[in-house]
Amino acid sequence: MPSFLSSLRHLLSTPARRLVLANFLLVVCFTATYFVGLIGCATYQLGADALAVSALVVLVNVTLVVGGALAGVVTDRVGPLLTLAASLVGFALIGVFALLMPLSYPMLAVVSALEGLADGFCGTAVSAYPRYLTDRPRELKRMNSLCGTAVSAAVIVGPLIGGAVTTLSTNQTCFATIPVASLVAAALVWATPEAPGAAGEHRADHANGEKTAAHGGFWHQLAEGFHVTFSHRTLRALFLLYFLGFFAYGAFDSLESLFYRDVLRVGGEWMGWLSACAGVGATVGSLLVLRVSTKRLTLGTLSALLLVTGVGSMIYVGTANVAVAVVGQLVCGLGFGAMRPVKDTILQRSCDVSYVGRVTSVMNAGTNSAGTLPLLVAPLVASVLGVQGTLLAASAIVAGLALVFLQLARRGDGKSAGGADAAPSPKDS
């Protein structure tokens, strides 16, 4: 027992470690309950078709965008600590509601909307948090890589929990994960204060009479986030890469569970097992970023990783063989796992701390909204190409887009001759 307590104290001894663990628990909440819980309940327990599943995912995506947009402004006003801690407590209440209410499609619709809203708040706040703890490039890279590793590990653990619970009980029981994990995460966040330097920078801006995050109304502050994002070459390219890449991936959310049921012909627990395989690949990918020089964390590297996800997805959905699907999930996960810390590091070093919350929310809004239109179109395309054909076409589009971005990034690197954009500050916008 003393050795366990000593190990626990060591694990929680620094703000970075507490943030990483909180991030892990947050993603466990979502991954154990979104795919296996929400979509699993609709597909396996209610027998929903592609259109009904798509409608649930649209609700999640729309409220993710709304939650993320609100969270960006709130984070820049009050800081990520209060934003994230309060959001996690709200997440816990949603889990209790989803667990105790009788299962029906309207109940799943309400939970989809609330879970998307909560995850939008949590995701934006936790992505912005590292920049409130340090501004040193190597420390940012390390912290983002470890947070990405936590996310990837949670993508293993969450679906495994969901799959195990579903095997023993039902998909709805997965929602019990949310209140337990999110309340522990909230306690960890509350014990992780922002670095004095971040607050000091805001105070200095006020003293100099500059326009900071605390000035203006909500819409004005939100507009500033868009202005900073699209007026900065690197941030603008980062937004477009994620928006277009995830636009193609939008078909997966509405059709993937049907691929499991109708093409692979496996039970609902496999929604957890195969998602966990993606988490294994993602863990390896996020850890590999630790070995990459900060100078190599560029848009070109991010484009190459998007190509890896596209090729992995083509392997994943290309056959009706579960063993091949496992390999595809590992490859796809590898790309996604490495993309997250690379993207977050590029964003944080390209953006002044007083805008990092709103720029993060703009990026997340682009990613989440990108998948909304394909969700509505995918069932119609599937009626022509079939579920597997539609998913394979979407994967090929991702790979093609990645090749285009890779070429554009190489040309951009040649023109800039190694020079990076200056980080936008309040004065610049």
Side-chain angles (χ1 to χ4, degrees), residues 30 33-34 37-38 56 59-60 63 91 93-119 172 175 178:
F30 193 77
T33 58
Y34 169 63
L38 281 173
L56 291 178
L59 273 174
V60 173
T63 53
F91 213 155
L93 296 176
I94 296 167
V96 173
F97 173 83
L99 181 64
L100 298 181
M101 289 296 290
L103 181 62
S104 66
Y105 190 84
M107 185 277 278
L108 290 180
V110 171
V111 173
S112 296
L114 293 176
E115 189 163 336
L117 191 66
D119 197 60
Q172 186 178 6
F175 292 110
I178 296 180

PDB file of all heavy atoms in Angstrom, residues 30 33-34 37-38 56 59-60 63 91 93-119 172 175 178:
ATOM      1  N   PHE A  30     -15.660   9.611 -23.440  1.00  0.00           N
ATOM      2  CA  PHE A  30     -16.262   9.780 -24.764  1.00  0.00           C
ATOM      3  C   PHE A  30     -16.182   8.498 -25.592  1.00  0.00           C
ATOM      4  O   PHE A  30     -17.163   8.091 -26.217  1.00  0.00           O
ATOM      5  CB  PHE A  30     -15.579  10.936 -25.501  1.00  0.00           C
ATOM      6  CG  PHE A  30     -16.326  11.374 -26.733  1.00  0.00           C
ATOM      7  CD1 PHE A  30     -17.469  12.152 -26.620  1.00  0.00           C
ATOM      8  CD2 PHE A  30     -15.895  11.016 -27.999  1.00  0.00           C
ATOM      9  CE1 PHE A  30     -18.171  12.560 -27.747  1.00  0.00           C
ATOM     10  CE2 PHE A  30     -16.590  11.408 -29.127  1.00  0.00           C
ATOM     11  CZ  PHE A  30     -17.736  12.193 -29.010  1.00  0.00           C
ATOM     12  N   THR A  33     -18.496   5.622 -24.693  1.00  0.00           N
ATOM     13  CA  THR A  33     -19.941   5.868 -24.760  1.00  0.00           C
ATOM     14  C   THR A  33     -20.432   6.399 -26.097  1.00  0.00           C
ATOM     15  O   THR A  33     -21.618   6.283 -26.403  1.00  0.00           O
ATOM     16  CB  THR A  33     -20.358   6.872 -23.671  1.00  0.00           C
ATOM     17  OG1 THR A  33     -19.635   8.097 -23.841  1.00  0.00           O
ATOM     18  CG2 THR A  33     -20.076   6.311 -22.295  1.00  0.00           C
ATOM     19  N   TYR A  34     -19.553   6.969 -26.917  1.00  0.00           N
ATOM     20  CA  TYR A  34     -20.017   7.531 -28.197  1.00  0.00           C
ATOM     21  C   TYR A  34     -20.269   6.412 -29.215  1.00  0.00           C
ATOM     22  O   TYR A  34     -21.404   6.169 -29.627  1.00  0.00           O
ATOM     23  CB  TYR A  34     -18.999   8.535 -28.732  1.00  0.00           C
ATOM     24  CG  TYR A  34     -19.269   8.953 -30.164  1.00  0.00           C
ATOM     25  CD1 TYR A  34     -20.439   9.634 -30.492  1.00  0.00           C
ATOM     26  CD2 TYR A  34     -18.375   8.652 -31.179  1.00  0.00           C
ATOM     27  CE1 TYR A  34     -20.704  10.008 -31.803  1.00  0.00           C
ATOM     28  CE2 TYR A  34     -18.628   9.023 -32.484  1.00  0.00           C
ATOM     29  CZ  TYR A  34     -19.787   9.696 -32.795  1.00  0.00           C
ATOM     30  OH  TYR A  34     -20.048  10.055 -34.097  1.00  0.00           O
ATOM     31  N   GLY A  37     -21.603   3.146 -27.100  1.00  0.00           N
ATOM     32  CA  GLY A  37     -22.819   3.479 -26.370  1.00  0.00           C
ATOM     33  C   GLY A  37     -23.899   4.075 -27.245  1.00  0.00           C
ATOM     34  O   GLY A  37     -24.905   3.432 -27.549  1.00  0.00           O
ATOM     35  N   LEU A  38     -23.716   5.316 -27.705  1.00  0.00           N
ATOM     36  CA  LEU A  38     -24.739   5.995 -28.492  1.00  0.00           C
ATOM     37  C   LEU A  38     -25.059   5.254 -29.789  1.00  0.00           C
ATOM     38  O   LEU A  38     -26.199   4.862 -30.050  1.00  0.00           O
ATOM     39  CB  LEU A  38     -24.288   7.421 -28.814  1.00  0.00           C
ATOM     40  CG  LEU A  38     -24.427   8.476 -27.721  1.00  0.00           C
ATOM     41  CD1 LEU A  38     -23.772   9.772 -28.158  1.00  0.00           C
ATOM     42  CD2 LEU A  38     -25.893   8.701 -27.389  1.00  0.00           C
ATOM     43  N   LEU A  56     -28.199  11.100 -35.377  1.00  0.00           N
ATOM     44  CA  LEU A  56     -27.566  11.186 -34.061  1.00  0.00           C
ATOM     45  C   LEU A  56     -26.180  11.809 -34.160  1.00  0.00           C
ATOM     46  O   LEU A  56     -25.794  12.654 -33.342  1.00  0.00           O
ATOM     47  CB  LEU A  56     -27.466   9.799 -33.425  1.00  0.00           C
ATOM     48  CG  LEU A  56     -28.775   9.140 -32.982  1.00  0.00           C
ATOM     49  CD1 LEU A  56     -28.489   7.750 -32.413  1.00  0.00           C
ATOM     50  CD2 LEU A  56     -29.504   9.990 -31.953  1.00  0.00           C
ATOM     51  N   LEU A  59     -26.271  15.504 -34.715  1.00  0.00           N
ATOM     52  CA  LEU A  59     -26.517  16.199 -33.449  1.00  0.00           C
ATOM     53  C   LEU A  59     -25.226  16.366 -32.649  1.00  0.00           C
ATOM     54  O   LEU A  59     -24.945  17.449 -32.118  1.00  0.00           O
ATOM     55  CB  LEU A  59     -27.540  15.428 -32.616  1.00  0.00           C
ATOM     56  CG  LEU A  59     -29.022  15.731 -32.862  1.00  0.00           C
ATOM     57  CD1 LEU A  59     -29.884  14.767 -32.061  1.00  0.00           C
ATOM     58  CD2 LEU A  59     -29.351  17.170 -32.494  1.00  0.00           C
ATOM     59  N   VAL A  60     -24.453  15.288 -32.560  1.00  0.00           N
ATOM     60  CA  VAL A  60     -23.179  15.364 -31.834  1.00  0.00           C
ATOM     61  C   VAL A  60     -22.263  16.391 -32.478  1.00  0.00           C
ATOM     62  O   VAL A  60     -21.663  17.242 -31.797  1.00  0.00           O
ATOM     63  CB  VAL A  60     -22.488  13.985 -31.790  1.00  0.00           C
ATOM     64  CG1 VAL A  60     -21.086  14.107 -31.192  1.00  0.00           C
ATOM     65  CG2 VAL A  60     -23.309  12.991 -30.981  1.00  0.00           C
ATOM     66  N   THR A  63     -23.506  20.132 -32.011  1.00  0.00           N
ATOM     67  CA  THR A  63     -23.321  20.629 -30.647  1.00  0.00           C
ATOM     68  C   THR A  63     -21.842  20.675 -30.255  1.00  0.00           C
ATOM     69  O   THR A  63     -21.457  21.495 -29.411  1.00  0.00           O
ATOM     70  CB  THR A  63     -24.117  19.783 -29.643  1.00  0.00           C
ATOM     71  OG1 THR A  63     -23.786  18.396 -29.811  1.00  0.00           O
ATOM     72  CG2 THR A  63     -25.602  19.971 -29.848  1.00  0.00           C
ATOM     73  N   PHE A  91     -20.497  16.974 -17.663  1.00  0.00           N
ATOM     74  CA  PHE A  91     -20.395  15.701 -18.370  1.00  0.00           C
ATOM     75  C   PHE A  91     -20.866  14.552 -17.468  1.00  0.00           C
ATOM     76  O   PHE A  91     -21.570  13.632 -17.907  1.00  0.00           O
ATOM     77  CB  PHE A  91     -18.941  15.479 -18.801  1.00  0.00           C
ATOM     78  CG  PHE A  91     -18.778  14.743 -20.101  1.00  0.00           C
ATOM     79  CD1 PHE A  91     -17.628  14.909 -20.856  1.00  0.00           C
ATOM     80  CD2 PHE A  91     -19.747  13.869 -20.572  1.00  0.00           C
ATOM     81  CE1 PHE A  91     -17.452  14.241 -22.054  1.00  0.00           C
ATOM     82  CE2 PHE A  91     -19.592  13.187 -21.769  1.00  0.00           C
ATOM     83  CZ  PHE A  91     -18.440  13.376 -22.511  1.00  0.00           C
ATOM     84  N   LEU A  93     -23.051  14.608 -15.067  1.00  0.00           N
ATOM     85  CA  LEU A  93     -24.514  14.614 -14.948  1.00  0.00           C
ATOM     86  C   LEU A  93     -25.181  14.019 -16.194  1.00  0.00           C
ATOM     87  O   LEU A  93     -26.202  13.323 -16.091  1.00  0.00           O
ATOM     88  CB  LEU A  93     -24.999  16.047 -14.724  1.00  0.00           C
ATOM     89  CG  LEU A  93     -24.544  16.704 -13.416  1.00  0.00           C
ATOM     90  CD1 LEU A  93     -25.010  18.160 -13.358  1.00  0.00           C
ATOM     91  CD2 LEU A  93     -25.059  15.923 -12.211  1.00  0.00           C
ATOM     92  N   ILE A  94     -24.586  14.279 -17.355  1.00  0.00           N
ATOM     93  CA  ILE A  94     -25.119  13.700 -18.596  1.00  0.00           C
ATOM     94  C   ILE A  94     -25.020  12.176 -18.558  1.00  0.00           C
ATOM     95  O   ILE A  94     -25.942  11.461 -18.977  1.00  0.00           O
ATOM     96  CB  ILE A  94     -24.350  14.250 -19.813  1.00  0.00           C
ATOM     97  CG1 ILE A  94     -24.572  15.748 -19.947  1.00  0.00           C
ATOM     98  CG2 ILE A  94     -24.777  13.537 -21.098  1.00  0.00           C
ATOM     99  CD1 ILE A  94     -23.629  16.427 -20.913  1.00  0.00           C
ATOM    100  N   GLY A  95     -23.907  11.663 -18.045  1.00  0.00           N
ATOM    101  CA  GLY A  95     -23.734  10.218 -17.944  1.00  0.00           C
ATOM    102  C   GLY A  95     -24.778   9.569 -17.053  1.00  0.00           C
ATOM    103  O   GLY A  95     -25.312   8.500 -17.372  1.00  0.00           O
ATOM    104  N   VAL A  96     -25.087  10.213 -15.921  1.00  0.00           N
ATOM    105  CA  VAL A  96     -26.112   9.685 -15.014  1.00  0.00           C
ATOM    106  C   VAL A  96     -27.472   9.652 -15.715  1.00  0.00           C
ATOM    107  O   VAL A  96     -28.225   8.669 -15.626  1.00  0.00           O
ATOM    108  CB  VAL A  96     -26.180  10.538 -13.730  1.00  0.00           C
ATOM    109  CG1 VAL A  96     -27.345  10.104 -12.862  1.00  0.00           C
ATOM    110  CG2 VAL A  96     -24.868  10.428 -12.960  1.00  0.00           C
ATOM    111  N   PHE A  97     -27.784  10.719 -16.431  1.00  0.00           N
ATOM    112  CA  PHE A  97     -29.053  10.791 -17.171  1.00  0.00           C
ATOM    113  C   PHE A  97     -29.145   9.660 -18.203  1.00  0.00           C
ATOM    114  O   PHE A  97     -30.163   8.968 -18.302  1.00  0.00           O
ATOM    115  CB  PHE A  97     -29.159  12.156 -17.860  1.00  0.00           C
ATOM    116  CG  PHE A  97     -30.331  12.291 -18.797  1.00  0.00           C
ATOM    117  CD1 PHE A  97     -31.582  12.613 -18.313  1.00  0.00           C
ATOM    118  CD2 PHE A  97     -30.173  12.103 -20.167  1.00  0.00           C
ATOM    119  CE1 PHE A  97     -32.668  12.739 -19.162  1.00  0.00           C
ATOM    120  CE2 PHE A  97     -31.243  12.228 -21.033  1.00  0.00           C
ATOM    121  CZ  PHE A  97     -32.500  12.541 -20.536  1.00  0.00           C
ATOM    122  N   ALA A  98     -28.072   9.473 -18.995  1.00  0.00           N
ATOM    123  CA  ALA A  98     -28.082   8.459 -20.056  1.00  0.00           C
ATOM    124  C   ALA A  98     -28.181   7.044 -19.493  1.00  0.00           C
ATOM    125  O   ALA A  98     -28.752   6.154 -20.128  1.00  0.00           O
ATOM    126  CB  ALA A  98     -26.819   8.588 -20.900  1.00  0.00           C
ATOM    127  N   LEU A  99     -27.631   6.848 -18.312  1.00  0.00           N
ATOM    128  CA  LEU A  99     -27.636   5.517 -17.702  1.00  0.00           C
ATOM    129  C   LEU A  99     -28.999   5.164 -17.118  1.00  0.00           C
ATOM    130  O   LEU A  99     -29.452   4.017 -17.217  1.00  0.00           O
ATOM    131  CB  LEU A  99     -26.564   5.449 -16.612  1.00  0.00           C
ATOM    132  CG  LEU A  99     -26.407   4.120 -15.875  1.00  0.00           C
ATOM    133  CD1 LEU A  99     -25.944   3.019 -16.828  1.00  0.00           C
ATOM    134  CD2 LEU A  99     -25.415   4.275 -14.727  1.00  0.00           C
ATOM    135  N   LEU A 100     -29.678   6.140 -16.535  1.00  0.00           N
ATOM    136  CA  LEU A 100     -30.898   5.860 -15.779  1.00  0.00           C
ATOM    137  C   LEU A 100     -32.182   5.975 -16.600  1.00  0.00           C
ATOM    138  O   LEU A 100     -33.194   5.371 -16.253  1.00  0.00           O
ATOM    139  CB  LEU A 100     -30.993   6.805 -14.575  1.00  0.00           C
ATOM    140  CG  LEU A 100     -29.860   6.678 -13.536  1.00  0.00           C
ATOM    141  CD1 LEU A 100     -30.098   7.640 -12.392  1.00  0.00           C
ATOM    142  CD2 LEU A 100     -29.747   5.245 -13.024  1.00  0.00           C
ATOM    143  N   MET A 101     -32.165   6.735 -17.692  1.00  0.00           N
ATOM    144  CA  MET A 101     -33.386   6.926 -18.479  1.00  0.00           C
ATOM    145  C   MET A 101     -33.702   5.688 -19.320  1.00  0.00           C
ATOM    146  O   MET A 101     -32.785   4.991 -19.785  1.00  0.00           O
ATOM    147  CB  MET A 101     -33.218   8.136 -19.401  1.00  0.00           C
ATOM    148  CG  MET A 101     -33.213   9.465 -18.669  1.00  0.00           C
ATOM    149  SD  MET A 101     -34.783   9.832 -17.830  1.00  0.00           S
ATOM    150  CE  MET A 101     -35.846  10.116 -19.246  1.00  0.00           C
ATOM    151  N   PRO A 102     -34.981   5.371 -19.540  1.00  0.00           N
ATOM    152  CA  PRO A 102     -35.356   4.253 -20.412  1.00  0.00           C
ATOM    153  C   PRO A 102     -34.820   4.473 -21.825  1.00  0.00           C
ATOM    154  O   PRO A 102     -34.860   5.601 -22.338  1.00  0.00           O
ATOM    155  CB  PRO A 102     -36.890   4.289 -20.393  1.00  0.00           C
ATOM    156  CG  PRO A 102     -37.248   5.030 -19.161  1.00  0.00           C
ATOM    157  CD  PRO A 102     -36.160   6.033 -18.941  1.00  0.00           C
ATOM    158  N   LEU A 103     -34.314   3.407 -22.436  1.00  0.00           N
ATOM    159  CA  LEU A 103     -33.698   3.521 -23.761  1.00  0.00           C
ATOM    160  C   LEU A 103     -34.754   3.777 -24.831  1.00  0.00           C
ATOM    161  O   LEU A 103     -35.725   3.040 -24.950  1.00  0.00           O
ATOM    162  CB  LEU A 103     -32.921   2.247 -24.092  1.00  0.00           C
ATOM    163  CG  LEU A 103     -32.209   2.239 -25.449  1.00  0.00           C
ATOM    164  CD1 LEU A 103     -31.160   3.335 -25.514  1.00  0.00           C
ATOM    165  CD2 LEU A 103     -31.580   0.875 -25.718  1.00  0.00           C
ATOM    166  N   SER A 104     -34.550   4.822 -25.594  1.00  0.00           N
ATOM    167  CA  SER A 104     -35.409   5.137 -26.732  1.00  0.00           C
ATOM    168  C   SER A 104     -34.615   6.023 -27.674  1.00  0.00           C
ATOM    169  O   SER A 104     -33.590   6.600 -27.291  1.00  0.00           O
ATOM    170  CB  SER A 104     -36.685   5.858 -26.282  1.00  0.00           C
ATOM    171  OG  SER A 104     -36.367   7.140 -25.753  1.00  0.00           O
ATOM    172  N   TYR A 105     -35.113   6.170 -28.886  1.00  0.00           N
ATOM    173  CA  TYR A 105     -34.398   7.031 -29.833  1.00  0.00           C
ATOM    174  C   TYR A 105     -34.405   8.497 -29.394  1.00  0.00           C
ATOM    175  O   TYR A 105     -33.366   9.169 -29.466  1.00  0.00           O
ATOM    176  CB  TYR A 105     -34.990   6.878 -31.232  1.00  0.00           C
ATOM    177  CG  TYR A 105     -34.154   7.549 -32.295  1.00  0.00           C
ATOM    178  CD1 TYR A 105     -33.052   6.903 -32.860  1.00  0.00           C
ATOM    179  CD2 TYR A 105     -34.446   8.846 -32.718  1.00  0.00           C
ATOM    180  CE1 TYR A 105     -32.269   7.538 -33.820  1.00  0.00           C
ATOM    181  CE2 TYR A 105     -33.669   9.481 -33.682  1.00  0.00           C
ATOM    182  CZ  TYR A 105     -32.582   8.816 -34.229  1.00  0.00           C
ATOM    183  OH  TYR A 105     -31.805   9.443 -35.166  1.00  0.00           O
ATOM    184  N   PRO A 106     -35.534   9.046 -28.919  1.00  0.00           N
ATOM    185  CA  PRO A 106     -35.509  10.433 -28.427  1.00  0.00           C
ATOM    186  C   PRO A 106     -34.504  10.630 -27.281  1.00  0.00           C
ATOM    187  O   PRO A 106     -33.849  11.672 -27.204  1.00  0.00           O
ATOM    188  CB  PRO A 106     -36.941  10.678 -27.963  1.00  0.00           C
ATOM    189  CG  PRO A 106     -37.766   9.753 -28.780  1.00  0.00           C
ATOM    190  CD  PRO A 106     -36.928   8.522 -28.942  1.00  0.00           C
ATOM    191  N   MET A 107     -34.388   9.636 -26.383  1.00  0.00           N
ATOM    192  CA  MET A 107     -33.405   9.750 -25.297  1.00  0.00           C
ATOM    193  C   MET A 107     -31.997   9.808 -25.870  1.00  0.00           C
ATOM    194  O   MET A 107     -31.165  10.626 -25.439  1.00  0.00           O
ATOM    195  CB  MET A 107     -33.533   8.569 -24.339  1.00  0.00           C
ATOM    196  CG  MET A 107     -32.628   8.669 -23.102  1.00  0.00           C
ATOM    197  SD  MET A 107     -30.918   8.100 -23.368  1.00  0.00           S
ATOM    198  CE  MET A 107     -31.132   6.337 -23.187  1.00  0.00           C
ATOM    199  N   LEU A 108     -31.697   8.964 -26.862  1.00  0.00           N
ATOM    200  CA  LEU A 108     -30.374   8.981 -27.481  1.00  0.00           C
ATOM    201  C   LEU A 108     -30.111  10.320 -28.178  1.00  0.00           C
ATOM    202  O   LEU A 108     -28.975  10.810 -28.184  1.00  0.00           O
ATOM    203  CB  LEU A 108     -30.237   7.837 -28.480  1.00  0.00           C
ATOM    204  CG  LEU A 108     -30.169   6.421 -27.907  1.00  0.00           C
ATOM    205  CD1 LEU A 108     -30.040   5.404 -29.041  1.00  0.00           C
ATOM    206  CD2 LEU A 108     -29.007   6.274 -26.933  1.00  0.00           C
ATOM    207  N   ALA A 109     -31.152  10.912 -28.755  1.00  0.00           N
ATOM    208  CA  ALA A 109     -30.990  12.207 -29.403  1.00  0.00           C
ATOM    209  C   ALA A 109     -30.618  13.287 -28.391  1.00  0.00           C
ATOM    210  O   ALA A 109     -29.722  14.110 -28.628  1.00  0.00           O
ATOM    211  CB  ALA A 109     -32.281  12.592 -30.141  1.00  0.00           C
ATOM    212  N   VAL A 110     -31.286  13.284 -27.241  1.00  0.00           N
ATOM    213  CA  VAL A 110     -30.969  14.257 -26.188  1.00  0.00           C
ATOM    214  C   VAL A 110     -29.541  14.049 -25.683  1.00  0.00           C
ATOM    215  O   VAL A 110     -28.769  15.008 -25.531  1.00  0.00           O
ATOM    216  CB  VAL A 110     -31.977  14.132 -25.026  1.00  0.00           C
ATOM    217  CG1 VAL A 110     -31.525  14.987 -23.839  1.00  0.00           C
ATOM    218  CG2 VAL A 110     -33.365  14.543 -25.470  1.00  0.00           C
ATOM    219  N   VAL A 111     -29.167  12.801 -25.434  1.00  0.00           N
ATOM    220  CA  VAL A 111     -27.823  12.500 -24.944  1.00  0.00           C
ATOM    221  C   VAL A 111     -26.775  12.879 -25.991  1.00  0.00           C
ATOM    222  O   VAL A 111     -25.704  13.403 -25.652  1.00  0.00           O
ATOM    223  CB  VAL A 111     -27.698  11.010 -24.563  1.00  0.00           C
ATOM    224  CG1 VAL A 111     -26.255  10.658 -24.209  1.00  0.00           C
ATOM    225  CG2 VAL A 111     -28.608  10.700 -23.389  1.00  0.00           C
ATOM    226  N   SER A 112     -27.064  12.638 -27.269  1.00  0.00           N
ATOM    227  CA  SER A 112     -26.133  13.014 -28.334  1.00  0.00           C
ATOM    228  C   SER A 112     -25.850  14.508 -28.311  1.00  0.00           C
ATOM    229  O   SER A 112     -24.698  14.952 -28.403  1.00  0.00           O
ATOM    230  CB  SER A 112     -26.700  12.619 -29.704  1.00  0.00           C
ATOM    231  OG  SER A 112     -26.845  11.224 -29.824  1.00  0.00           O
ATOM    232  N   ALA A 113     -26.928  15.301 -28.192  1.00  0.00           N
ATOM    233  CA  ALA A 113     -26.767  16.752 -28.177  1.00  0.00           C
ATOM    234  C   ALA A 113     -25.988  17.215 -26.942  1.00  0.00           C
ATOM    235  O   ALA A 113     -25.054  18.029 -27.045  1.00  0.00           O
ATOM    236  CB  ALA A 113     -28.136  17.425 -28.221  1.00  0.00           C
ATOM    237  N   LEU A 114     -26.333  16.687 -25.782  1.00  0.00           N
ATOM    238  CA  LEU A 114     -25.659  17.104 -24.546  1.00  0.00           C
ATOM    239  C   LEU A 114     -24.208  16.628 -24.506  1.00  0.00           C
ATOM    240  O   LEU A 114     -23.317  17.367 -24.069  1.00  0.00           O
ATOM    241  CB  LEU A 114     -26.422  16.563 -23.335  1.00  0.00           C
ATOM    242  CG  LEU A 114     -27.823  17.143 -23.101  1.00  0.00           C
ATOM    243  CD1 LEU A 114     -28.491  16.432 -21.930  1.00  0.00           C
ATOM    244  CD2 LEU A 114     -27.746  18.640 -22.850  1.00  0.00           C
ATOM    245  N   GLU A 115     -23.969  15.406 -24.967  1.00  0.00           N
ATOM    246  CA  GLU A 115     -22.602  14.891 -24.945  1.00  0.00           C
ATOM    247  C   GLU A 115     -21.716  15.658 -25.918  1.00  0.00           C
ATOM    248  O   GLU A 115     -20.547  15.937 -25.637  1.00  0.00           O
ATOM    249  CB  GLU A 115     -22.588  13.399 -25.272  1.00  0.00           C
ATOM    250  CG  GLU A 115     -21.242  12.750 -25.046  1.00  0.00           C
ATOM    251  CD  GLU A 115     -21.297  11.238 -24.955  1.00  0.00           C
ATOM    252  OE1 GLU A 115     -22.360  10.682 -24.617  1.00  0.00           O
ATOM    253  OE2 GLU A 115     -20.254  10.604 -25.223  1.00  0.00           O
ATOM    254  N   GLY A 116     -22.270  16.028 -27.079  1.00  0.00           N
ATOM    255  CA  GLY A 116     -21.506  16.837 -28.021  1.00  0.00           C
ATOM    256  C   GLY A 116     -21.162  18.194 -27.439  1.00  0.00           C
ATOM    257  O   GLY A 116     -20.032  18.682 -27.577  1.00  0.00           O
ATOM    258  N   LEU A 117     -22.142  18.818 -26.768  1.00  0.00           N
ATOM    259  CA  LEU A 117     -21.908  20.128 -26.153  1.00  0.00           C
ATOM    260  C   LEU A 117     -20.822  20.041 -25.083  1.00  0.00           C
ATOM    261  O   LEU A 117     -19.889  20.868 -25.042  1.00  0.00           O
ATOM    262  CB  LEU A 117     -23.209  20.638 -25.541  1.00  0.00           C
ATOM    263  CG  LEU A 117     -23.235  22.091 -25.079  1.00  0.00           C
ATOM    264  CD1 LEU A 117     -23.108  23.034 -26.257  1.00  0.00           C
ATOM    265  CD2 LEU A 117     -24.536  22.381 -24.322  1.00  0.00           C
ATOM    266  N   ALA A 118     -20.916  19.034 -24.217  1.00  0.00           N
ATOM    267  CA  ALA A 118     -19.926  18.874 -23.145  1.00  0.00           C
ATOM    268  C   ALA A 118     -18.541  18.570 -23.702  1.00  0.00           C
ATOM    269  O   ALA A 118     -17.541  19.129 -23.241  1.00  0.00           O
ATOM    270  CB  ALA A 118     -20.370  17.762 -22.196  1.00  0.00           C
ATOM    271  N   ASP A 119     -18.477  17.701 -24.704  1.00  0.00           N
ATOM    272  CA  ASP A 119     -17.169  17.351 -25.263  1.00  0.00           C
ATOM    273  C   ASP A 119     -16.560  18.523 -26.028  1.00  0.00           C
ATOM    274  O   ASP A 119     -15.345  18.672 -26.071  1.00  0.00           O
ATOM    275  CB  ASP A 119     -17.293  16.133 -26.171  1.00  0.00           C
ATOM    276  CG  ASP A 119     -15.948  15.485 -26.449  1.00  0.00           C
ATOM    277  OD1 ASP A 119     -15.284  15.048 -25.489  1.00  0.00           O
ATOM    278  OD2 ASP A 119     -15.540  15.434 -27.628  1.00  0.00           O
ATOM    279  N   GLN A 172     -26.155   0.301 -23.368  1.00  0.00           N
ATOM    280  CA  GLN A 172     -26.534   1.453 -22.543  1.00  0.00           C
ATOM    281  C   GLN A 172     -25.737   1.512 -21.246  1.00  0.00           C
ATOM    282  O   GLN A 172     -25.464   2.598 -20.726  1.00  0.00           O
ATOM    283  CB  GLN A 172     -28.029   1.422 -22.237  1.00  0.00           C
ATOM    284  CG  GLN A 172     -28.513   2.678 -21.511  1.00  0.00           C
ATOM    285  CD  GLN A 172     -30.002   2.667 -21.247  1.00  0.00           C
ATOM    286  OE1 GLN A 172     -30.678   1.667 -21.497  1.00  0.00           O
ATOM    287  NE2 GLN A 172     -30.537   3.770 -20.746  1.00  0.00           N
ATOM    288  N   PHE A 175     -22.639   3.894 -20.342  1.00  0.00           N
ATOM    289  CA  PHE A 175     -22.709   5.282 -19.874  1.00  0.00           C
ATOM    290  C   PHE A 175     -22.306   5.431 -18.407  1.00  0.00           C
ATOM    291  O   PHE A 175     -22.062   6.543 -17.948  1.00  0.00           O
ATOM    292  CB  PHE A 175     -24.115   5.839 -20.096  1.00  0.00           C
ATOM    293  CG  PHE A 175     -24.471   6.029 -21.543  1.00  0.00           C
ATOM    294  CD1 PHE A 175     -25.415   5.212 -22.155  1.00  0.00           C
ATOM    295  CD2 PHE A 175     -23.850   7.005 -22.299  1.00  0.00           C
ATOM    296  CE1 PHE A 175     -25.739   5.378 -23.488  1.00  0.00           C
ATOM    297  CE2 PHE A 175     -24.164   7.184 -23.636  1.00  0.00           C
ATOM    298  CZ  PHE A 175     -25.113   6.366 -24.239  1.00  0.00           C
ATOM    299  N   ILE A 178     -19.041   7.446 -17.614  1.00  0.00           N
ATOM    300  CA  ILE A 178     -18.915   8.908 -17.663  1.00  0.00           C
ATOM    301  C   ILE A 178     -18.820   9.547 -16.280  1.00  0.00           C
ATOM    302  O   ILE A 178     -17.864  10.311 -16.020  1.00  0.00           O
ATOM    303  CB  ILE A 178     -20.068   9.533 -18.469  1.00  0.00           C
ATOM    304  CG1 ILE A 178     -20.006   9.074 -19.914  1.00  0.00           C
ATOM    305  CG2 ILE A 178     -20.002  11.055 -18.400  1.00  0.00           C
ATOM    306  CD1 ILE A 178     -21.106   9.635 -20.787  1.00  0.00           C
TER     307      ILE A 178
END
